[in-house]
Amino acid sequence: MVRPLVALMALLMTAFWAVGQARKDTRPNIVLIVADDHGREAVGCYGNPAIKTPHIDQLAAEGTRFTNAFCTTASCSPSRSVLLTGLHNHANGMYGLEHREHHFSSFDTVRSLPVLLGQAGYRTARIGKFHVAPERAYQFQQVLKRGGTNDPASIGRSPVEMADLCYSLFSEVSEKPFFLYFATDDPHRSNAVAANGSPVFKSDQANRFGNRPGGYPQVHDVFYQPFQVSVPPYLPDTRATRQELAQYYEAVSRLDQGVERLVALLKETGQYDHTVIVYLSDNGAPFPGSKTTLYEPGMRLPLIVKLPKPQKPGFVQDAMVSWVDLMPTLLDFAGALPDTVYRQGRSFKAILEQENVTGWDEVYGSHSLHEVTMYYPMRVLRERRYKLIFNLAHALPFPMALDLYHSLTWQDVRQAGRKQYGKRSVEAFLHRPRFELYDLQTDPDEVRNLANDPKYRAELQRMQAKLKRFQQQTKDLWISKWEFE
Amino acid sequence: MVRPLVALMALLMTAFWAVGQARKDTRPNIVLIVADDHGREAVGCYGNPAIKTPHIDQLAAEGTRFTNAFCTTASCSPSRSVLLTGLHNHANGMYGLEHREHHFSSFDTVRSLPVLLGQAGYRTARIGKFHVAPERAYQFQQVLKRGGTNDPASIGRSPVEMADLCYSLFSEVSEKPFFLYFATDDPHRSNAVAANGSPVFKSDQANRFGNRPGGYPQVHDVFYQPFQVSVPPYLPDTRATRQELAQYYEAVSRLDQGVERLVALLKETGQYDHTVIVYLSDNGAPFPGSKTTLYEPGMRLPLIVKLPKPQKPGFVQDAMVSWVDLMPTLLDFAGALPDTVYRQGRSFKAILEQENVTGWDEVYGSHSLHEVTMYYPMRVLRERRYKLIFNLAHALPFPMALDLYHSLTWQDVRQAGRKQYGKRSVEAFLHRPRFELYDLQTDPDEVRNLANDPKYRAELQRMQAKLKRFQQQTKDLWISKWEFE
């Protein structure tokens, strides 16, 4: 039903494109695609031979693919708040999840990306998952929604339909460029919810990650068999893990088709060559060992930037950037970077296609909570070779998100009484020391903690001093823990 | 200036009192006085021979004085949220402090006391400290304020002036009764604040608790010498403690004069005999060992209720009540107790002057955080004889509020390297076991933990089961910690 309509409208609107393209405001449109829990290891162009993500890969083939891009906190709401404020979560108030009883929200005073782009003359619209608060601080001019239907399922699981709903924005005749925030629910785990709003978990079967019989409008299901998936080193290679990864891949391939449609519509409406497209994820895959941790699988993520007119299609950028850098970058594209630099990141616009960049060799991470019961602040300095993790509440067992705790992958490990979980022991995963120092060159899986090794004492102290300075500079309340705990 | 004006206005208004008293709505006015950090041990009528609180004592002499009244969390914002919602903080969302970066707030869906009383036909007004959020959930019809002055000092430190500002409410001719929420800043510690909003601490001198040269309008300063104060058993009897207690007492005596003026104005306006007056504190005294803990000094508090027409002036009630019971009680006075009992407390209106009551022999406490960096959830069952404290994050050192940490009382202990703090060791204060079980009959200072004593195993298990049931019934998210940690 929708497809012919779209084609028809495209035809009818053709006459107007000249106007759109001739607009005086030559600043690019911006499309920011935020996937939910899409780990870097589950993308074709990042080296996974089994998963099918041809359209994300195509974006990378035409644009710039970052190999050292990091979120600063591997938790949904906090990470999105970082993307949209250019401030670490400890500085914008979004210390944990926004929804239900967790109920975190940013300070009213934050100046967010949609608000600043709106002030800079952009049309701003969002669709799909929001998960930040308060709404007035993160105000978009338009919220694109499925209309006239009582289908209770979130639009965020129906990525092609989501893309179709953006057509009105792309085709609107306007002097102004647009900013679209396109946030899918895929490939997050699907959690059933009881009548009273409490989540319901089925720990004895693979999660479906939103996959459902009959699929979603205009999505052709891509199925995977457990034997086909690649199990990353942080996960145990079990039947349980493989079953869940197969489901996870299916959700990723659905998401990929949303990207396909979005690109197709940008082309149909003549906007593609006037648009910066960014593809990234809020945090790593929804498995213990990735999401909610600041280990590499949790924080090192896909980042693809497709420029309106790429000079070096398929460029691979190894500069280290993080999600605090995204807002300054997008403001930079909009010519709206404030003179007063109160942001905690910096624009990487200038280096998008630049080889051998210097001065992009470290990122900082800051995690506070996920669910409100999951207090486990961590501060991280990630350099090219070494990584220091400061576990502020290290005396507590590492808290598990309810959906990860109840996952088949984890319950299988518990019920089988396994001592090992991927490359780590279960014990090491659940009980962490105050400091973890890893040499990623010799130990990419972060299993040999060097923090107590006298040979690395100078390294440790150097990095501790940097981390503390970062906390001072970003007004981190938790800096008190150096003294108190 | 104000006093003669008040007297004059009282005279002019006399003609109208007949109207006020003859109003058809015979429900009483309600005045809820909430002191800030006023510990039970610093009130004359609760047995302190040194402190001068004649007007609070007079209220007790005319009304009912509770000897077993408890807050449920010894932290300002959360405790006030409990008073105003009848829900434990874990159920109303106010998990910690509201102000500055701590930024906690209740769910939009809570139905608060001022809103329900407003709907029940009361005029609602507040003055002084608020410290809960969001404002729309805790909406009062009127916020009484000092007008036309640039004095930056909080009105909450000037209790007589605060009372004067309530005159307009008391003297307004209306068919409707009023509800006044009168919340002082006294006798909280005074914390200086730097230009950037950060607190500034002077750890080498006694805090002034709002006391200042020149005093406050119409307050006659009552001074105390360090040798005069009574040091409660939870504090070390040091010069430092005594210096701070002397300052603290001065703030309490100032607050007492606010009560004096409030009562005088209620009498002048003919409202006194038509008003329920409640005096209580949000939590215990602002010293380590009281505030932010759920030890007795932190949670066992003054509660005085003066009925419009007391039948038993000076009655002493030993029923165990807590701050979740306050809202149902006040709604009960207003005839507005909802049929559907979604509250977590119950009205104690019927037992206010009743002797030998039964069924009021336990209270529950629930603390989550104070400052956002101070995660230390505790759940408590306090019976007449035994008390069980469940320290959910017991592996962490007990977190210290910044103002308590920097207090002269505590810094003196640290700098002198003392091992003992009051009746407890510093070690026991800072590092707590998962469960603390005390026999208050033989150990009122809670220093001999019986949780690991095999003789008390049955007691422990019985109380653990009750505590868990309480968590289930009040939808406590932290119930997961029984299983996970």
Side-chain angles (χ1 to χ4, degrees):
Chain A
M1 286 273 288
V2 177
R3 223 180 203 309
L5 186 67
V6 167
L8 178 67
M9 288 182 69
L11 244 139
L12 289 173
M13 299 299 280
T14 306
F16 295 101
W17 297 140
V19 181
Q21 288 174 28
R23 62 173 158 76
K24 285 174 206 149
D25 191 335
T26 56
R27 296 178 298 177
N29 305 309
I30 297 168
V31 173
L32 173 56
I33 307 171
V34 180
D36 202 358
D37 298 355
H38 191 190
R40 186 175 175 277
E41 67 282 2
V43 196
C45 62
Y46 279 96
N48 185 320
I51 203 162
K52 295 185 185 69
T53 55
H55 304 97
I56 297 171
D57 301 346
Q58 179 61 28
L59 217 52
E62 296 180 32
T64 294
R65 181 170 66 83
F66 283 80
T67 55
N68 280 297
F70 299 85
C71 67
T72 63
T73 170
S75 171
C76 177
S77 301
S79 187
R80 285 156 204 258
S81 78
V82 173
L83 288 168
L84 293 176
T85 66
L87 301 171
H88 285 277
N89 81 78
H90 67 247
N92 73 36
M94 196 90 212
Y95 305 125
L97 294 175
E98 178 267 339
H99 69 305
R100 297 205 312 126
E101 302 90 340
H102 312 301
H103 192 47
F104 287 97
S105 65
S106 285
F107 306 130
D108 283 344
T109 50
V110 300
R111 299 175 63 214
S112 73
L113 181 61
V115 170
L116 289 178
L117 284 178
Q119 288 170 1
Y122 271 67
R123 290 173 287 149
T124 63
R126 67 176 171 87
I127 186 166
K129 191 160 184 166
F130 194 38
H131 226 342
V132 287
E135 175 130 23
R136 61 188 171 281
Y138 291 99
Q139 197 81 52
F140 285 78
Q141 294 155 5
Q142 222 188 125
V143 182
L144 302 170
K145 282 180 188 155
R146 184 195 279 140
T149 157
N150 288 320
D151 185 347
S154 163
I155 186 76
R157 286 291 184 193
S158 192
V160 177
E161 206 183 347
M162 273 177 72
D164 281 341
L165 288 168
C166 301
Y167 183 80
S168 60
L169 180 74
F170 300 166
S171 61
E172 187 187 12
V173 179
S174 171
E175 281 291 294
K176 297 175 166 186
F178 61 76
F179 166 49
L180 171 65
Y181 180 72
F182 185 93
T184 64
D185 283 7
D186 285 326
H188 194 285
R189 281 176 185 270
S190 43
N191 300 323
V193 170
N196 66 1
S198 300
V200 178
F201 301 104
K202 291 181 182 160
S203 309
D204 58 343
Q205 47 189 263
N207 191 280
R208 299 299 305 270
F209 295 84
N211 308 326
R212 64 180 189 188
Y216 291 87
Q218 302 172 78
V219 172
H220 62 273
D221 292 331
V222 181
F223 298 113
Y224 298 86
Q225 295 303 318
F227 71 86
Q228 293 176 306
V229 304
S230 336
V231 179
Y234 74 91
L235 289 176
D237 192 346
T238 58
R239 188 180 147 80
T241 302
R242 286 179 168 271
Q243 283 180 323
E244 291 214 287
L245 280 176
Q247 295 288 334
Y248 179 63
Y249 280 25
E250 187 179 332
V252 170
S253 288
R254 176 169 58 242
L255 159 61
D256 186 69
Q257 294 172 58
V259 175
E260 174 185 24
R261 175 64 62 95
L262 205 58
V263 167
L265 291 179
L266 285 166
K267 288 181 176 170
E268 278 181 39
T269 54
Q271 303 284 10
Y272 189 65
D273 295 335
H274 304 278
T275 302
V276 178
I277 304 175
V278 178
Y279 183 90
L280 53 74
S281 174
D282 57 348
N283 49 251
F287 290 84
S290 172
K291 183 176 180 178
T292 79
T293 79
L294 288 175
Y295 291 132
E296 295 291 278
M299 75 181 285
R300 193 176 181 188
L301 297 174
L303 172 63
I304 298 164
V305 182
K306 157 71 179 62
L307 288 169
K309 297 191 171 67
Q311 300 304 304
K312 296 181 182 170
F315 186 68
V316 177
Q317 176 55 276
D318 78 343
M320 294 180 73
V321 299
S322 87
W323 286 186
V324 286
D325 299 322
L326 186 83
M327 170 156 159
T329 303
L330 297 185
L331 288 176
D332 200 0
F333 273 109
L337 207 54
D339 289 335
T340 51
V341 181
Y342 74 97
R343 304 292 157 200
Q344 296 177 346
R346 55 190 174 139
S347 171
F348 53 76
K349 172 172 178 276
I351 60 157
L352 272 166
E353 296 185 320
Q354 190 182 317
E355 288 176 53
N356 306 318
V357 294
T358 53
W360 293 84
D361 300 309
E362 63 188 32
V363 297
Y364 290 91
S366 170
H367 178 89
S368 304
L369 300 93
H370 179 65
E371 299 169 17
V372 68
T373 53
M374 288 173 60
Y375 177 86
Y376 202 84
M378 299 178 274
R379 301 296 180 262
V380 167
L381 168 56
R382 167 68 158 85
E383 297 177 342
R384 291 209 177 264
R385 178 163 182 179
Y386 294 104
K387 178 171 178 179
L388 178 67
I389 306 177
F390 177 18
N391 297 309
L392 284 78
H394 65 100
L396 293 176
F398 186 78
M400 301 279 279
L402 283 177
D403 57 344
L404 304 188
Y405 179 80
H406 288 287
S407 68
L408 182 64
T409 299
W410 182 254
Q411 286 301 316
D412 172 72
V413 168
R414 287 189 73 222
Q415 277 151 28
R418 283 187 238 280
K419 302 273 184 245
Q420 196 67 14
Y421 182 78
K423 297 265 171 130
R424 261 182 214 98
S425 70
V426 170
E427 172 62 23
F429 182 69
L430 292 178
H431 298 100
R432 304 181 184 180
R434 191 162 190 234
F435 290 102
E436 296 173 74
L437 176 66
Y438 297 109
D439 179 349
L440 297 169
Q441 203 165 293
T442 60
D443 177 28
D445 298 317
E446 302 161 282
V447 290
R448 285 191 305 279
N449 181 15
L450 307 172
N452 298 315
D453 185 333
K455 278 191 294 189
Y456 292 88
R457 187 147 185 199
E459 220 62 70
L460 176 69
Q461 290 176 343
R462 179 184 64 76
M463 293 182 79
Q464 283 174 331
K466 282 174 76 172
L467 204 52
K468 201 168 177 177
R469 198 158 55 244
F470 158 74
Q471 290 187 273
Q472 278 157 350
Q473 286 168 350
T474 57
K475 296 189 179 159
D476 184 351
L477 283 187
W478 276 269
I479 198 168
S480 63
K481 301 296 178 186
W482 288 90
E483 185 182 349
F484 292 169
E485 281 172 22
Chain B
M1 286 276 287
V2 177
R3 221 178 205 308
L5 186 68
V6 166
L8 179 67
M9 288 182 70
L11 244 139
L12 288 172
M13 300 298 279
T14 305
F16 295 99
W17 297 140
V19 180
Q21 290 176 24
R23 61 176 157 76
K24 284 176 207 144
D25 192 334
T26 55
R27 295 177 299 176
N29 306 308
I30 298 168
V31 173
L32 173 57
I33 306 171
V34 180
D36 203 357
D37 297 356
H38 190 190
R40 185 174 175 277
E41 67 284 0
V43 195
C45 63
Y46 279 97
N48 185 319
I51 203 163
K52 294 184 186 68
T53 54
H55 304 98
I56 297 171
D57 301 347
Q58 179 61 27
L59 217 52
E62 296 180 33
T64 295
R65 181 169 66 84
F66 283 79
T67 55
N68 280 297
F70 299 84
C71 68
T72 63
T73 170
S75 170
C76 177
S77 301
S79 186
R80 284 155 206 259
S81 78
V82 174
L83 287 169
L84 294 176
T85 66
L87 301 171
H88 285 277
N89 81 78
H90 66 247
N92 73 37
M94 195 90 213
Y95 305 125
L97 292 175
E98 178 268 337
H99 70 304
R100 297 204 313 124
E101 303 90 340
H102 311 301
H103 193 47
F104 288 96
S105 65
S106 285
F107 306 129
D108 283 343
T109 48
V110 299
R111 299 174 65 213
S112 72
L113 181 61
V115 170
L116 290 179
L117 284 178
Q119 287 171 0
Y122 270 68
R123 290 173 287 149
T124 64
R126 68 176 172 88
I127 186 165
K129 191 159 185 168
F130 194 39
H131 225 344
V132 288
E135 175 131 22
R136 61 188 172 281
Y138 292 98
Q139 196 81 53
F140 284 78
Q141 293 155 5
Q142 223 188 126
V143 181
L144 302 171
K145 280 179 190 156
R146 184 196 280 142
T149 158
N150 288 320
D151 185 349
S154 163
I155 187 76
R157 286 290 184 195
S158 193
V160 176
E161 207 183 346
M162 273 177 73
D164 281 342
L165 288 167
C166 300
Y167 183 81
S168 61
L169 180 74
F170 300 167
S171 60
E172 186 185 15
V173 179
S174 170
E175 281 290 295
K176 295 175 166 185
F178 61 77
F179 167 47
L180 170 65
Y181 181 71
F182 184 93
T184 65
D185 283 6
D186 286 325
H188 195 283
R189 282 176 183 270
S190 43
N191 300 323
V193 170
N196 67 2
S198 299
V200 177
F201 300 104
K202 291 180 182 161
S203 308
D204 57 345
Q205 48 191 261
N207 191 281
R208 300 299 304 270
F209 295 84
N211 309 327
R212 65 180 189 189
Y216 292 87
Q218 304 173 76
V219 172
H220 63 272
D221 292 330
V222 181
F223 298 112
Y224 298 86
Q225 296 303 319
F227 72 85
Q228 293 175 305
V229 305
S230 336
V231 179
Y234 75 91
L235 289 176
D237 192 346
T238 59
R239 188 179 146 79
T241 303
R242 286 178 170 271
Q243 284 180 322
E244 292 213 285
L245 280 176
Q247 295 288 333
Y248 178 62
Y249 280 25
E250 187 179 331
V252 170
S253 287
R254 178 169 57 245
L255 160 60
D256 185 69
Q257 294 170 58
V259 175
E260 175 185 23
R261 176 65 62 94
L262 205 59
V263 167
L265 291 179
L266 285 168
K267 287 181 177 171
E268 279 181 40
T269 55
Q271 303 285 10
Y272 189 66
D273 295 336
H274 304 278
T275 302
V276 177
I277 304 174
V278 178
Y279 183 90
L280 53 74
S281 173
D282 56 349
N283 48 251
F287 289 83
S290 170
K291 184 178 179 177
T292 79
T293 79
L294 287 176
Y295 292 132
E296 295 292 278
M299 73 181 288
R300 193 175 179 188
L301 297 174
L303 172 63
I304 297 164
V305 182
K306 156 72 180 61
L307 288 170
K309 296 191 171 64
Q311 301 303 305
K312 297 181 182 169
F315 187 68
V316 178
Q317 175 56 276
D318 78 342
M320 295 181 72
V321 299
S322 87
W323 286 184
V324 286
D325 300 321
L326 187 83
M327 169 154 159
T329 303
L330 298 185
L331 287 176
D332 200 359
F333 273 110
L337 207 55
D339 288 335
T340 51
V341 181
Y342 74 97
R343 305 293 155 199
Q344 296 177 346
R346 55 190 172 137
S347 169
F348 54 76
K349 174 173 177 274
I351 60 155
L352 271 166
E353 297 187 317
Q354 190 181 318
E355 288 177 54
N356 306 316
V357 294
T358 54
W360 293 85
D361 300 308
E362 63 189 30
V363 296
Y364 290 90
S366 169
H367 177 88
S368 304
L369 300 93
H370 179 64
E371 299 169 16
V372 68
T373 55
M374 288 173 60
Y375 178 86
Y376 202 84
M378 299 179 273
R379 300 295 181 263
V380 167
L381 168 56
R382 167 69 157 85
E383 297 177 341
R384 292 210 176 261
R385 177 162 184 179
Y386 294 105
K387 178 170 176 178
L388 178 68
I389 305 178
F390 177 19
N391 297 308
L392 284 77
H394 65 101
L396 293 176
F398 186 78
M400 299 280 279
L402 284 178
D403 58 343
L404 304 189
Y405 179 79
H406 288 288
S407 67
L408 182 63
T409 300
W410 183 254
Q411 287 301 317
D412 171 72
V413 168
R414 286 189 73 222
Q415 278 151 28
R418 283 187 237 281
K419 302 272 183 248
Q420 196 67 14
Y421 182 77
K423 298 265 171 134
R424 260 181 216 100
S425 70
V426 170
E427 172 62 23
F429 182 69
L430 291 178
H431 299 101
R432 305 182 183 180
R434 191 163 191 233
F435 290 101
E436 297 173 73
L437 175 66
Y438 298 109
D439 179 348
L440 298 170
Q441 203 165 294
T442 60
D443 177 27
D445 298 316
E446 300 161 284
V447 290
R448 286 192 303 279
N449 181 14
L450 308 172
N452 298 315
D453 185 333
K455 278 191 296 192
Y456 292 89
R457 188 148 185 194
E459 219 62 71
L460 176 69
Q461 290 177 341
R462 178 184 65 77
M463 293 181 79
Q464 284 174 329
K466 282 175 77 174
L467 203 53
K468 201 167 176 177
R469 197 156 59 241
F470 158 75
Q471 290 188 273
Q472 280 159 348
Q473 285 169 349
T474 57
K475 295 190 179 156
D476 184 350
L477 283 186
W478 275 268
I479 199 168
S480 64
K481 301 298 177 184
W482 288 90
E483 186 181 349
F484 292 170
E485 281 172 23

